[in-house]
Amino acid sequence: MSLDNKVEELVVGLVSVSDRASGGVYEDKGIPALREWLEAALVTPFRVETRLIPDDRASIEQTLVELVDTVRCHLVLTTGGTGPARRDVTPEATVAVGTKEMPGFGEQMRQISLHFVPTAILSRQTAVIRETPDHTALIMNLPGQPKSIKETLQGLKDADGQSIVGGIFAAVPYCIDLIGGPYAETDPAVCKAFRPKSAQRHKDTA
């Protein structure tokens, strides 16, 4: 591959929001689940920055701003803190640091979860774009359970391998394209990224 075709590294922030996990009461399972899924799904270079923090709005906002503005993540995935309880403030913190809301991601997450539990309607997951003068990132709230994280990102298939409902990550690489981030490619066997034909890059066959 020529230097001109060198692939830029995708920087992904992984944030687990949990009072008990951050306090050492139990082991965090959200970040390992996210990392494992990304390692299976992405076939282009990426690195992760992880943060384990309590259910505190100020801490969440500060962490999201730091990951985008200072660490310069292109994508930030949070897990936990999206329910109706008083301590669940991840969506409020996410919206507060965003410059554009992306409600379609939350709508699709709830659609996926409703295949399993009626209480999926209690989830308040959302997504935003955060823009600074010289950098932009996508921030998304994900569920807290590893099984739900995988289903949300990857989608659901029937016994014959046919898609029942699409996962949200299929739209993420093209969104990152549109906001000026690196071109990320996925393993279609895990999650096939969708792009219009005009936005697809052909692999270097030289």
Side-chain angles (χ1 to χ4, degrees):
M1 181 180 289
S2 70
L3 291 176
D4 291 339
N5 291 329
K6 186 177 180 180
V7 179
E8 182 184 355
E9 183 179 58
L10 178 72
V11 184
V12 184
L14 305 180
V15 182
S16 185
V17 182
S18 170
D19 285 334
R20 288 179 291 176
S22 63
V25 176
Y26 60 69
E27 183 181 1
D28 172 64
K29 295 182 179 179
I31 289 174
L34 285 168
R35 187 195 296 267
E36 181 181 4
W37 191 87
L38 289 170
E39 288 173 348
L42 289 169
V43 297
T44 42
F46 76 98
R47 67 179 173 88
V48 299
E49 291 280 342
T50 63
R51 302 289 187 273
L52 178 56
I53 59 176
D55 287 283
D56 172 72
R57 179 168 171 174
S59 297
I60 300 169
E61 290 183 20
Q62 181 181 5
T63 298
L64 296 178
V65 169
E66 181 234 346
L67 285 171
V68 176
D69 298 12
T70 304
V71 181
R72 299 182 73 80
C73 291
H74 306 101
L75 172 66
V76 178
L77 304 176
T78 74
T79 173
T82 59
R86 286 181 181 268
R87 294 290 291 173
D88 292 330
V89 293
T90 303
E92 283 78 13
T94 300
V95 171
V97 304
T99 52
K100 289 187 177 78
E101 291 191 48
M102 302 293 287
F105 285 107
E107 293 165 4
Q108 185 68 0
M109 283 187 255
R110 284 180 283 278
Q111 182 184 356
I112 293 168
S113 296
L114 278 168
H115 280 77
F116 300 97
V117 290
T119 50
I121 60 175
L122 301 179
S123 169
R124 301 182 303 112
Q125 294 152 340
T126 190
V128 302
I129 301 294
R130 176 172 173 81
E131 301 159 305
T132 68
D134 64 346
H135 186 68
T136 308
L138 171 64
I139 304 172
M140 301 195 301
N141 303 152
L142 297 177
Q145 297 300 316
K147 180 176 180 291
S148 299
I149 289 171
K150 181 178 179 180
E151 291 163 351
T152 296
L153 292 170
Q154 194 165 317
L156 307 175
K157 294 182 179 179
D158 61 22
D160 297 321
Q162 298 300 311
S163 177
I164 298 173
V165 58
I168 63 168
F169 204 84
V172 169
Y174 185 48
C175 181
I176 293 173
D177 293 351
L178 293 174
I179 62 176
Y183 190 89
E185 294 186 274
T186 61
D187 181 347
V190 178
C191 177
K192 185 176 181 179
F194 177 83
R195 287 181 172 92
K197 288 185 177 180
S198 60
Q200 295 175 10
R201 297 182 188 176
H202 296 290
K203 291 183 179 179
D204 186 3
T205 56

